[in-house]
Amino acid sequence: MLTFDSSGLYGDGLLSKEHFGGERREELQEAMADLQARFEADELGFVDTPDADGASIAAWAEERRSEGWTDQLVIGIGGSSLGAMAVLDSALPDQRDGLRAHFADNLDPESVDRLFRTLNPEKTVVVVITKSGTTIETMSQFWLARQWLVEALGEEAANKQIVAITDPESGELRKLVDNHGWWDFDVPPNVGGRFSVLTPVGLVPLALAGYPIQELLEGARSARDNRQSLSESAQIWGTIAAEHLALADAGYNELVMMTYGDRLQSLVDWFCQLWAESLGKARNRQGELVHRGMTPIKAVGVTDQHSQVQLYMEGPHNKHITFLEVRNFEADRIIPESPPLPRALQHLQGKPISEVFAAELRGTRDALRQAGRPTSSWIFERITPGSVGAFLFAWQMITAVAGELMDIDAFDQPGVEMGKKIAHGLLGRPGFEEYAQQGQGGPDGPAEESRRIL
Ligand code: PA5
């Protein structure tokens, strides 16, 4: 079970129920109607992703796992890797007893080199994931990986050890697949990168790793379908999105997601991308400059109680802190009752670590509330594939509704595109020369302002 508790958003100086009446209620209804229209126009492909054919992917992965591979090198970045990483990090050891996963997203040359030095090409399947097929980070590492396989195994065997996940028709990777006959899976054209975790983008590496993808999909489906009617479930996403936006409008436009459960940490990285890249936009749907967005921030409980929480408690009133709370853990330890600790610590003795952990969470949340800070909680009864699937789907829906309420396009990323174009230009891609000019820093570049430190 997964529950969202928003009671800490209401009260003195924060939200009130009246806030969502009248004009705001109408705005929400309009946004939901617009979203429904987009869904009917087939623009919201992610809503259907929980219906993916997990059984076929799982069966395919099972066959591959029986072929003697031990590792998978998953090459992709952003929406093409964060989802699988997050889900896999939330797994228990027996939910990831298939191929060991190594994610190659960043381009640090030392990290890239380390991967190829430590993995065995005879035992490693290369999974390349890029919807566009032109992402520099992904394609440059993939070309290295392919060469690495070919040198070790020869071209024919190497081709059988490559899995490509890309657009079914367009893009440079699709052309390569068609020429080389690698294993391949489609990214649905109407599903954008950061909304694609429940497509082959996330499901294939997860299934190869031995993760129960069907339970993940089932959880996402339940989150989508478990209400009597679509409008009732839409109401839930709409209310949560509206609460986040109302807080942002009141100045609380930074959203701290703080985990109390280490297996949930990477889900926050996934969330940060979804929230930032979907909602941080310069222009609204009418093309007017609006510069909207809510900054996501990752925090880890209890560790960050000794670090960031001081700022959240006493710094500017601009943060909404949402906790990821786990009610039941799969393992626990009791603090020994003897020999006795000094008197000031004796109350800890005989208590399970989970109780201490829960008290730390409660203490932090209550103190934040007393300090007048908005807080909310996502409560995982247990961390299971089902509850993780529900969490993923819930945030995709909330993000989509928030985009609609903000009157921006949550599904594009023009800011990111320009950086990619400049990088292509600087690296000499034909037709991108004008972008290379923009990448030189211009006549008043930063050099004069640099300070030598060492
Ligand atoms: O959410 C997005 O659209 C992006 O983060 C992309 O997933 C990322 O840029 C990688 O793109 P691609 O899959 O085309 O390589």
Side-chain angles (χ1 to χ4, degrees):
M1 193 161 72
L2 177 71
T3 317
F4 178 62
D5 175 5
S6 63
S7 47
L9 303 182
Y10 292 83
D12 271 358
L14 299 177
L15 303 180
S16 68
K17 293 284 175 200
E18 292 74 63
H19 189 95
F20 297 105
E23 208 180 295
R24 285 206 170 81
R25 184 193 300 268
E26 275 167 36
E27 270 170 22
L28 182 56
Q29 279 164 354
E30 251 174 59
M32 297 310 293
D34 288 349
L35 213 56
Q36 180 69 29
R38 281 185 213 293
F39 176 67
E40 280 159 20
D42 213 18
E43 288 172 22
L44 300 186
F46 81 89
V47 178
D48 292 324
T49 59
D51 300 319
D53 184 359
S56 301
I57 294 177
W60 172 87
E62 178 86 54
E63 261 179 54
R64 303 286 79 70
R65 294 206 323 256
S66 67
E67 285 168 0
W69 299 336
T70 55
D71 294 81
Q72 55 173 324
L73 177 56
V74 185
I75 306 173
I77 196 163
S80 285
S81 69
L82 284 166
M85 277 188 209
V87 176
L88 217 47
D89 285 349
S90 75
L92 291 167
D94 69 341
Q95 292 165 340
R96 47 180 308 169
D97 58 2
L99 306 189
R100 282 183 296 267
H102 310 267
F103 289 91
D105 56 348
N106 209 354
L107 257 190
D108 181 320
E110 293 171 13
S111 310
V112 173
D113 174 64
R114 189 175 319 114
L115 276 173
F116 292 115
R117 269 190 297 107
T118 51
L119 291 172
N120 176 355
E122 289 178 6
K123 298 276 182 192
T124 305
V125 57
V126 170
V127 183
V128 55
I129 310 174
T130 165
K131 182 173 180 190
S132 62
T134 50
T135 300
I136 291 177
E137 298 85 344
T138 302
M139 290 308 287
S140 48
Q141 293 191 84
F142 170 54
W143 220 232
L144 268 173
R146 181 187 165 273
Q147 182 65 12
W148 174 73
L149 288 181
V150 170
E151 277 170 10
L153 313 171
E155 179 126 14
E156 205 183 322
N159 284 343
K160 297 197 180 112
Q161 229 163 279
I162 293 173
V163 183
I165 303 171
T166 189
D167 188 275
E169 279 165 18
S170 67
E172 305 306 315
L173 182 59
R174 175 53 61 193
K175 289 182 201 150
L176 288 167
V177 175
D178 294 343
N179 293 337
H180 290 83
W182 303 319
W183 298 103
D184 72 302
F185 290 86
D186 295 343
V187 185
N190 61 352
V191 180
R194 55 194 174 273
F195 290 85
S196 69
V197 55
L198 301 175
T199 73
V201 169
L203 299 176
V204 168
L206 287 169
L208 284 171
Y211 189 85
I213 55 171
Q214 301 201 68
E215 293 171 39
L216 181 82
L217 290 166
E218 173 62 36
R221 267 199 303 278
S222 305
R224 184 189 60 187
D225 303 335
N226 74 356
R227 303 286 145 185
Q228 296 287 322
S229 65
L230 198 63
S231 63
E232 201 188 328
S233 93
Q235 192 61 36
I236 294 184
W237 315 123
T239 305
I240 300 176
E243 286 172 336
H244 283 72
L245 273 172
L247 281 167
D249 289 345
Y252 294 99
N253 62 356
E254 299 187 3
L255 178 57
V256 178
M257 187 174 276
M258 187 162 187
T259 56
Y260 279 76
D262 285 345
R263 285 199 281 136
L264 300 175
Q265 281 188 32
S266 302
L267 279 176
V268 182
D269 296 322
W270 171 85
F271 159 76
C272 284
Q273 187 218 1
L274 181 72
W275 199 242
E277 200 168 330
S278 303
L279 302 181
K281 298 289 154 72
R283 295 186 184 274
N284 64 14
R285 286 193 187 274
Q286 284 71 51
E288 296 154 348
L289 262 188
V290 288
H291 291 297
R292 300 220 50 193
M294 293 172 271
T295 306
I297 299 170
K298 177 179 181 174
V300 175
V302 297
T303 312
D304 282 321
Q305 285 176 214
H306 301 265
S307 160
Q308 302 182 30
V309 168
Q310 168 63 30
L311 169 72
Y312 305 161
M313 207 69 81
E314 297 189 350
H317 277 266
N318 61 358
K319 291 183 177 58
H320 160 191
I321 298 99
T322 193
F323 294 96
L324 302 193
E325 178 177 345
V326 182
R327 284 285 156 82
N328 296 287
F329 290 89
E330 305 308 323
D332 211 349
R333 294 278 171 131
I334 296 183
I335 301 163
E337 294 198 59
S338 66
L341 277 163
R343 188 191 286 273
L345 294 167
Q346 271 176 17
H347 57 288
L348 301 178
Q349 296 193 273
K351 295 213 163 67
I353 290 289
S354 59
E355 190 179 330
V356 182
F357 202 34
E360 297 258 8
L361 161 56
R362 184 127 188 234
T364 305
R365 186 172 49 210
D366 290 356
L368 283 164
R369 277 178 155 188
Q370 278 174 30
R373 312 291 163 146
T375 62
S376 57
S377 296
W378 287 85
I379 303 165
F380 289 74
E381 203 54 40
R382 306 193 100 85
I383 306 172
T384 60
S387 59
V388 169
F391 180 85
L392 296 170
F393 187 77
W395 274 108
Q396 292 179 52
M397 278 307 304
I398 295 163
T399 304
V401 181
E404 227 37 67
L405 281 168
M406 290 161 77
D407 193 26
I408 50 114
D409 185 346
F411 304 100
D412 66 359
Q413 50 283 325
V416 181
E417 300 304 338
M418 181 50 77
K420 289 184 189 173
K421 285 179 184 153
I422 294 175
H424 273 294
L426 291 172
L427 291 165
R429 180 171 170 181
F432 282 64
E433 295 78 7
E434 61 167 302
Y435 297 111
Q437 300 298 322
Q438 297 177 29
Q440 307 296 330
D444 53 357
E448 276 172 30
E449 291 301 325
S450 60
R451 313 267 187 277
R452 182 164 177 170
I453 305 299
L454 182 69

